[in-house]
Amino acid sequence: MSTQRPSVTLVQGDITEQAVDAVVNAANSSLLGGGGVDGAIHRRGGPEILAECRALRASRYGRGLPTGQAVATTAGRLPARWVIHTVGPVFARNEDRSELLASCYRESLRVADELGARTVAFPAISTGIYGWPMDDGARIAVETVRTTDTAVEEVRFVLFDAQAYDAFATRVH
Ligand code: AR6
C-alpha cells in the first residue's frame, strides 16, 4: 500500500448524503443505534446496516466496540459503499480523553485502508451528544488526519452547522 497524507476538505451538510467510499459513524459501544449521526445513518441506510452490526455483536464484539476503535459494515442504501463505525469518548472535564478521540480518526483511516476506500467522510466525532467542545474537537480531528499515513486520498469533514464549519475552517486554513 502506498501511503501519503490525505487532502482535507470541508462541507456543511448532512453526512448521509455524501457520495464517498466510506462514511464514518459516531456510534456507541452497543453498535445498535442511537441519536445524532448514528440515528440518521441507520434511518437512511436501512436495516442492512443494523443486521451487520448485530452480527458483529454476536461474534467479534460480544462486549461492544471499545471507545477509540473502529469497524466497518455495508452502507446499505446510503450513497457510499461502507459505514465505518467508531466510538468517541464522552467529554469529561476532569480527565483528558483526547488520545481516545484522536484514536477514532486514526483507527477509522486504518479500517478505510483495509477496505481500499479512497474517499472518507467524517462527522465531528463526540461534539454532539458526547459533549466535546467544538473548537477542541476540530483541532484534534484536523491534526490527527493530517499526521496519519494512509492511502485515503480525501478526508471530507461534514459539518452540520455554520459554527461547526467555522471551527474546522479555522484549523484547516
Ligand atoms: N450529518 C453531519 N453531522 C451531524 C449529523 C448529520 N446528519 N447529525 C448530527 N451531526 P453526535 P457524538 C453532528 O451526537 O457526540 C448517538 O446517540 C452534531 O451536530 O451524532 O459522538 C450515538 O449512538 C455533532 O457536531 O455524536 C452515541 O450514543 C456531531 O455530528 C452518541 O450519539 C456529532 O454528534 C455519540 O455522540
Side-chain angles (χ1 to χ4, degrees):
M1 183 181 81
S2 129
T3 63
Q4 58 195 17
R5 298 292 159 86
S7 75
V8 175
T9 57
L10 304 181
V11 170
Q12 190 182 327
D14 183 339
I15 198 158
T16 64
E17 291 172 1
Q18 304 301 309
V20 285
D21 293 331
V23 164
V24 175
N25 182 18
N28 61 65
S29 296
S30 81
L31 290 176
L32 300 179
V37 169
D38 199 9
I41 283 178
H42 283 285
R43 221 168 20 250
R44 297 201 51 173
E48 253 191 288
I49 301 175
L50 188 59
E52 284 195 20
C53 286
R54 285 194 203 284
L56 285 166
R57 286 301 308 278
S59 55
R60 237 169 107 188
Y61 294 107
R63 306 167 99 172
L65 180 66
T67 304
Q69 295 189 27
V71 68
T73 65
T74 174
R77 296 196 286 258
L78 296 179
R81 289 181 67 186
W82 301 284
V83 171
I84 299 173
H85 307 262
T86 189
V87 183
V90 176
F91 181 73
R93 239 161 245 300
N94 56 356
E95 193 189 347
D96 183 6
R97 299 180 177 165
S98 307
E99 191 42 47
L100 284 168
L101 184 54
S103 174
C104 289
Y105 290 98
R106 265 197 307 270
E107 287 298 301
S108 295
L109 290 173
R110 193 182 58 73
V111 170
D113 282 338
E114 283 175 7
L115 296 167
R118 292 291 178 265
T119 52
V120 179
F122 280 95
I125 299 165
S126 286
T127 65
I129 292 163
Y130 282 178
W132 207 286
M134 185 57 76
D135 287 341
D136 198 51
R139 176 186 67 78
I140 292 166
V142 173
E143 278 179 14
T144 304
V145 304
R146 281 206 168 141
T147 53
T148 300
D149 286 317
T150 172
V152 171
E153 288 161 7
E154 181 193 354
V155 165
R156 186 183 306 172
F157 288 110
V158 182
L159 295 323
F160 215 33
D161 57 27
Q163 185 232 340
Y165 184 93
D166 290 347
F168 274 73
T170 301
R171 294 294 169 182
V172 169
H173 305 303

